[in-house]
């Protein structure tokens, strides 16, 4: 059950001494942030919280025109602002439910395996074009990383997504233990500054907004 912890003006989903990263696997801005955190050597230092920012996306098949247009716009923005991350356009913009459920469970039960899994899922989708909405794709990734079978919690994901929509409503987002927020995707220098100090105020950058709710 979600237990909110009040810190400054933000209610956190739980107490943590680490920076919380609120994210979704089918968000190219979130992929970029994860790559920057890996570049900084901080991927293992954060606690990832997965939410569904576009639960209406299909698990397979073609996207509608609005979703296709939104995805292409976001991809073009990421490719121009962070060409080094190597993001490529997937065949379709797919639902992230199974991937997020898996990652949240591993973050809780096997935190030592969570950073590697997180990066593998992101890169599988945004670089290799694998369909991460398919259970067999996720099962193969888990097998490669020796991640045991784990029970996922749909209710917990719904609670986290509702918390996000009420408190933040933009991804990616980083929350310091003090409650200071880094909202949206800033530039690399801003991300580096935040994770190094986690105390400065930050303006809002571009990011994925909710859709399909």
């Amino acid at each position: 059950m979600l237990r909110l912890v009040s810190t400054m003006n933000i209610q956190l989903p739980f107490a943590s001494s680490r920076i919380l990263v609120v994210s979704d696997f089918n968000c190219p801005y979130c992929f970029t942030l994860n790559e920057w955190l890996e570049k900084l050597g901080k991927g293992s230092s954060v606690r990832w919280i997965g939410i569904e920012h576009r639960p209406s996306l299909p698990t397979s098949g073609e996207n509608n025109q609005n979703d296709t247009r939104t995805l292409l716009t976001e991809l073009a923005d990421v490719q121009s602002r962070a060409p080094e991350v190597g993001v490529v356009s997937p065949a379709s913009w797919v639902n992230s439910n199974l991937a997020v459920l898996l990652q949240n469970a591993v973050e809780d039960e096997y935190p030592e395996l969570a950073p590697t899994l997180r990066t593998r899922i992101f890169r599988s989708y945004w670089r290799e074009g694998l369909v991460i909405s398919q259970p067999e794709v996720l099962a193969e990734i888990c097998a490669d990383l020796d991640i045991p079978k784990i029970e996922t919690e749909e209710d917990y994901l719904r609670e986290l997504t509702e918390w996000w929509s009420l408190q933040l409503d933009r991804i990616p987002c980083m929350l310091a233990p003090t409650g200071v927020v880094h909202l949206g995707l800033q530039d690399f220098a801003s991300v580096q500054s935040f994770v190094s100090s986690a105390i400065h105020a930050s303006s809002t950058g571009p990011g994925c907004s909710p859709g399909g709710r």
Side-chain angles (χ1 to χ4, degrees), residues 21-44:
V21 176
V22 186
S23 182
D24 194 352
F25 283 119
N26 56 15
C27 165
Y29 294 106
C30 294
F31 167 67
T32 302
L33 176 60
N34 192 73
E35 287 296 306
W36 285 352
L37 290 173
E38 288 295 311
K39 182 178 179 179
L40 291 168
K42 300 295 185 179
S44 299

Side-chain angles (χ1 to χ4, degrees), residues 82-158:
E84 77 283 357
V85 304
V87 63
V88 299
S89 179
S92 62
W93 205 8
V94 298
N95 189 284
S96 63
N97 178 267
L98 292 180
V100 173
L101 281 170
L102 171 64
Q103 184 66 42
N104 280 346
V106 172
E107 295 278 347
D108 285 336
E109 299 296 328
Y110 303 102
E112 71 281 4
L113 303 175
T116 302
L117 175 63
R118 181 194 316 147
T119 297
R120 179 69 175 274
I121 295 175
F122 266 125
R123 292 177 180 176
S124 292
Y125 186 55
W126 292 110
R127 286 184 179 169
E128 301 171 36
L130 298 181
V131 185
I132 60 168
S133 57
Q134 300 302 311
E136 58 269 22
V137 171
L138 297 175
E140 184 174 348
I141 292 174
C142 287
D144 287 346
L145 299 179
D146 293 323
I147 294 175
K149 188 174 182 179
I150 191 169
E151 184 175 339
T152 60
E153 299 182 44
E154 186 78 50
D155 288 345
Y156 185 48
L157 174 55
R158 280 195 293 268

